[in-house]
Amino acid sequence: MGSYCSVHNNTNGAMYIKYGPNTDALLIAELVAGFLAAGFTGGASLAMAATALGITATELIDREVTKELAGKGFSRIDPDGTYTSDRLSLSLVVSAHIVLVEVLPNGSVQVKSGTMTCWSGPTDGSTNGYNATDCSFESQIIN
């Protein structure tokens, strides 16, 4: 017997998610350090790096963030996609760790991180669903 927990990406940007212990504060610090180490500290250097690779700045950001977070066990979910947990015990409480990444109209990057408490479904095979915007984001960084 088992049930599931799912989180729907009801935002305009990419969502990265995993279930597990609370590590989001460390994650944001590592993500920002990664961007700074890569030289993505301003719009000009980001645009120049993207142009040199023959891609857009948005594609470069997506590629780098995906690479960084995939190595930490996160799954990338496109807007309007849903991430469903593996089979869990019935009515089990879990923490969903969510990072939202969105390129704003002015070209800056908004990164938000938070943890949301979720419950797996109450009956065998059921799923409790949540929206990404249900999460309280503890950190917000705008580059």
Side-chain angles (χ1 to χ4, degrees):
M1 289 187 34
S3 60
Y4 306 89
C5 174
S6 69
V7 178
H8 178 74
N9 182 3
N10 62 332
T11 71
N12 293 326
M15 175 178 80
Y16 299 84
I17 183 170
K18 74 175 181 176
Y19 296 108
N22 191 341
T23 57
D24 59 306
L26 177 60
L27 174 70
I28 284 295
E30 289 176 313
L31 184 62
V32 171
F35 276 138
L36 295 176
F40 301 145
T41 56
S45 60
L46 177 62
M48 288 180 351
T51 301
L53 294 170
I55 59 177
T56 67
T58 302
E59 291 169 326
L60 179 59
I61 292 164
D62 183 58
R63 185 177 79 184
E64 293 302 315
V65 170
T66 297
K67 183 171 72 174
E68 179 74 21
L69 294 180
K72 293 175 178 36
F74 281 76
S75 296
R76 184 186 191 284
I77 309 300
D78 289 327
D80 205 31
T82 300
Y83 179 80
T84 301
S85 69
D86 292 332
R87 193 173 194 87
L88 302 168
S89 297
L90 302 180
S91 297
L92 179 70
V93 65
V94 295
S95 292
H97 305 289
I98 299 173
V99 177
L100 297 175
V101 179
E102 184 176 1
V103 179
L104 302 175
N106 67 1
S108 63
V109 180
Q110 183 175 24
V111 179
K112 295 191 283 186
S113 175
T115 299
M116 176 170 56
T117 301
C118 301
W119 292 83
S120 63
T123 58
D124 189 33
S126 65
T127 302
N128 272 345
Y130 300 85
N131 287 316
T133 54
D134 294 338
C135 185
S136 294
F137 293 100
E138 301 160 357
S139 302
Q140 182 173 338
I141 298 164
I142 301 177
N143 288 339

